[in-house]
Each structure stands twice: as structure tokens, then as C-alpha cells.
Amino acid sequence: MGLTTSGSRIEGRQPSAKRKHVAQRSKSTALRPSARALRLLAPASLRWPSVCVLLCCLPGGAQAQQVHRIDAVLPDAPTPTILPALFRQDQSQTLGTISGRVVDQNGNFVVGAQVKLAREGHPLVQEVVSDAEGHFTLVGVAAGPFQIIVSSEGFATRELPGILDPGEALAMPEIALSIAAASTEVQVRVTNYELAEEQIKVQEMQRVLGVIPNFYVSYQQDALPLRPKQKFELAWKTSVDPVTFAASGAFAGGEQAQNAYHGYGQGAQGYAKRYGASYADAFVGIMVGGAILPSLLKQDPRYFYKGTGSVRSRILYALANAVICKGDNGHWQVDYSGILGGLASGGISNLYYPASSRNGAWLTFENTFIGIGGSGIGNIFQEFVVRKLTPHASGKP
């Protein structure tokens, strides 16, 4: 039968009214199940092609008559989620878990052990901590070879390789950690202060002919600088040395024999005054010039033995050291401590010498210059004579 379709109008031979009603009813009834099936079974992205195919399979008249009805039956559907869900389900089935327990050599649980999962070529590392019973579980582990690294304080680190199958829940055997080998490293660090103390102890053994103290001479050119406390200790030991008391007594006896400082008189009383003045000179000179000023001005009061070079160079070195000294920074500088110490000692002596023997400031400066000259001569003896007479001199060239 030939039909011509134009819009919703159908031209051709028409059946009777009764037959037309029955035909439209049967066509409408036959189409509904097909539309319902499209809505329930087909994805939204496939519905319209399926509808088109279905329409093509229908007889021409029914196809044309039901176009608008199908548009109303099939509304727009949301974007399908069937494929992503299937993908996630497949991915979750490939991930697995690794569990185990960490114990010590005696089988006791190791709490808080660090358990790391490492893979070759993978920068990311999974890490967990063992619980109160030593258990650990690594979840979401991809299939393939792996390395378990277990460490805990006081124990040796263990590494265990393995292979995880897709979706496998791998239970590893107990991981027993052994006690780490005890390694004791003792580092002995000696401070500069302690080294300087040792050097001072050696200096305090230096006695000319084994008797006369020679504490203020260092036979080590690279000797460490002294702290203020050490300078006072060295000055005090020199001041209270028996030889210092004996030397003061000898000077006092010579002065009394010459009736020097006649204001003191003669006899035991005069000798005692001379002895007190002589020892006071020595004590003030040692403490002020060897401890107080060197500490304030950061200078070293010791004479540093040269011992090498020509005779001329050693003599010049000894004479120069009467007015120069080493600073605590290791550089040579003017010996303000020695020079000012001599002036201070002479000024203080005016307090206890007889009034007739006090000649004012000039005498003080005169005695200071005499003291500098005496230091230069003493240094020359140190360079060429005293060292040979000192049994315990250290740092000899």
C-alpha cells in the first residue's frame, strides 16, 4: 500500500471510522511498551539512536502519527555513571593490604615501631606505626613487588621483600627485631683553658738550679694565652713562694748593712721594717704588673724564650721584650702592663718608706727606668744562661 507522509498529516486511502479507531488504538498500545523499555534499559546517550531505529522499524503511518507522543514520553536523562563506577570497582579490586606483627628476640611486642613500605622506582613511601600489640596494617597497596622496612629505637633495622597479588590481603610472618649492637664513641675534648692549665703546671716546675722559681718564662712560643684567673694564680704562687720570702730577707739585710733608708733605724725593728718594705715591693710589683694590669689590658706577663737565630738577634729580642709583650690575641704590643706596673709599685712604696727617703715622682720614674733596664738584662740571661740551669724547662728547641 503506498502512503505519503507530510508533517502529522497522512494522505492515502483511509479506512472506515470504526476500523480507523481500532487501528489507532492497536498502534498506540503496541508503541507504549517500546517507549517504556527505552526509558528503563537504555542509557541516556543511547536512547535517541534507539528511538530512531525503533521508529524506522515501525510501519510508516504509525511512525508518523506517534512522533509527538514519543517526545513527551522520553524526557532528558542525567549523565550516566555506569562506566566510572565500573572503573572504580575494578580499581578497588586490584589494591590489597599488608599486615603483620613486630616483636623482639624474646617474642615481646614492639610498640611504636616504624613500618615503611617502599617500592623501587616509586618516590612515595607508605608508613605506619605498630600498635600496643605490635600489629600494623598497610591499606590501599598496589599489586607488585615491595620492600618492608621496620625500625625502632634500640633495635637493628630489618628489611623484608615481598610480592603482593591484585586484591590480596597479605599477612606477613612475625617480624623479629634484634637488639642493636652497642657502639660507644667517646670524644675527649680539651678546652684552651685546660691546656693552658697544663702548661702553667709545667712552668711552675721550672726552677733555676732546682730552687729559684722561674715561673714567668715560657719555653713554648705557641703557648696559649692565660685567663685572668690563671694570671692571678701564677702571681700568687710566685708571691708566696719560699724563695720570694728568702730573697726579701736577703735584700733587707743588705740594706741594713748599708744603713739604707736610715729612717727605719737599726736593730731588729729596723730590719723588720726593711724586710716588710722589701717584700711589699716584690708583692705589689708581682700582683700589679703580673696579674691586675695584664688582666685589664689583656696582655701576657710572661717572657717567651726564643732560643734560635743568631746571637745578635737573640740579644735584640731579649732587650725588646723589656718594653714589648704578647697580647692575649697573640700579637706583639707595647708592654703597658710592665711599665705601668713599675710606676704603680713605686708610687705605692711611698706609703711605707721613710719620709726622708721619699723624693717624689722623679724617684718613682727613676726606679721604673731602672726596673726596665734590669728586665732587659734578665731576659738576656734567660736566652743564654738560665735555660741551661733549669732542669724541667719544657719546649726546648
Side-chain angles (χ1 to χ4, degrees):
M1 178 184 297
L3 296 177
T4 302
T5 305
S6 176
S8 59
R9 177 181 173 186
I10 303 176
E11 296 179 357
R13 189 172 57 181
Q14 300 294 331
S16 62
K18 183 176 182 181
R19 290 178 61 189
K20 181 179 179 181
H21 176 74
V22 173
Q24 290 179 349
R25 181 178 178 185
S26 61
K27 293 174 185 176
S28 172
T29 304
L31 182 61
R32 270 191 212 102
S34 299
R36 192 174 293 112
L38 287 173
R39 295 179 60 190
L40 297 176
L41 300 178
S45 60
L46 301 178
R47 288 175 187 171
W48 283 114
S50 300
V51 171
C52 295
V53 172
L54 181 61
L55 291 176
C56 292
C57 297
L58 293 174
Q63 178 180 355
Q65 288 180 351
Q66 299 299 327
V67 168
H68 297 290
R69 183 174 180 83
I70 292 173
D71 288 340
V73 172
L74 298 177
D76 293 337
T79 304
T81 58
I82 296 177
L83 293 179
L86 293 175
F87 176 75
R88 287 196 299 270
Q89 182 179 4
D90 180 71
Q91 185 182 29
S92 64
Q93 290 176 354
T94 62
L95 300 178
T97 61
I98 301 175
S99 61
R101 173 180 284 179
V102 184
V103 297
D104 60 14
Q105 291 175 324
N106 300 322
N108 300 317
F109 307 142
V110 177
V111 181
Q114 299 289 330
V115 182
K116 296 181 181 181
L117 174 69
R119 292 178 179 275
E120 185 176 357
H122 290 263
L124 297 179
V125 177
Q126 291 179 257
E127 182 177 350
V128 295
V129 179
S130 60
D131 59 18
E133 295 183 351
H135 288 291
F136 69 89
T137 301
L138 294 160
V139 298
V141 181
F146 62 85
Q147 188 88 1
I148 293 291
I149 304 172
V150 184
S151 61
S152 183
E153 185 176 358
F155 294 93
T157 301
R158 284 201 62 183
E159 297 184 6
L160 299 93
I163 299 177
L164 184 67
D165 295 330
E168 180 184 6
L170 177 61
M172 301 191 66
E174 284 189 342
I175 303 175
L177 301 181
S178 58
I179 303 298
S183 59
T184 304
E185 182 179 354
V186 180
Q187 295 183 351
V188 179
R189 296 182 180 180
V190 181
T191 63
N192 289 343
Y193 178 83
E194 293 172 334
L195 288 175
E197 280 288 324
E198 294 299 322
Q199 293 174 355
I200 291 176
K201 290 179 180 179
V202 174
Q203 290 176 207
E204 291 173 351
M205 297 176 62
Q206 297 172 174
R207 291 180 180 272
V208 181
L209 300 175
V211 178
I212 302 173
N214 195 27
F215 303 160
Y216 275 92
V217 176
S218 175
Y219 292 99
Q220 294 180 331
Q221 283 289 334
D222 58 347
L224 294 172
L226 304 179
R227 299 285 182 86
K229 179 182 178 181
Q230 294 169 326
K231 294 174 184 178
F232 276 94
E233 289 176 349
L234 189 61
W236 175 255
K237 289 179 180 179
T238 303
S239 300
V240 298
D241 190 85
V243 176
T244 303
F245 289 108
S248 298
F251 279 113
E255 291 171 353
Q256 184 155 339
Q258 299 174 4
N259 198 25
Y261 308 113
H262 55 85
Y264 287 143
Q266 292 292 324
Q269 184 177 5
Y271 177 79
K273 292 180 180 179
R274 290 184 175 87
Y275 178 84
S278 178
Y279 181 77
D281 287 346
F283 182 84
V284 171
I286 293 171
M287 295 303 296
V288 175
I292 297 175
L293 290 178
S295 297
L296 295 175
L297 301 177
K298 297 182 179 181
Q299 294 183 327
D300 200 313
R302 296 172 293 180
Y303 174 79
F304 291 89
Y305 176 74
K306 188 175 189 303
T308 58
S310 63
V311 173
R312 181 174 177 274
S313 66
R314 292 175 67 183
I315 291 175
L316 293 177
Y317 173 83
L319 293 175
N321 269 264
V323 291
I324 66 173
C325 68
K326 268 190 178 182
D328 290 344
N329 57 4
H331 300 300
W332 292 100
Q333 51 192 254
V334 178
D335 187 10
Y336 297 109
S337 301
I339 298 173
L340 295 177
L343 292 172
S345 178
I348 293 174
S349 65
N350 287 325
L351 299 177
Y352 48 81
Y353 273 97
S356 58
S357 301
R358 301 172 189 171
N359 295 326
W362 173 247
L363 180 61
T364 299
F365 282 100
E366 181 181 357
N367 290 336
T368 300
F369 292 137
I370 292 174
I372 293 174
S375 295
I377 296 174
N379 293 340
I380 294 175
F381 274 92
Q382 288 287 353
E383 280 292 321
F384 297 99
V385 179
V386 175
R387 181 184 66 83
K388 299 177 181 179
L389 302 178
T390 305
H392 298 287
S394 63
K396 294 183 180 181

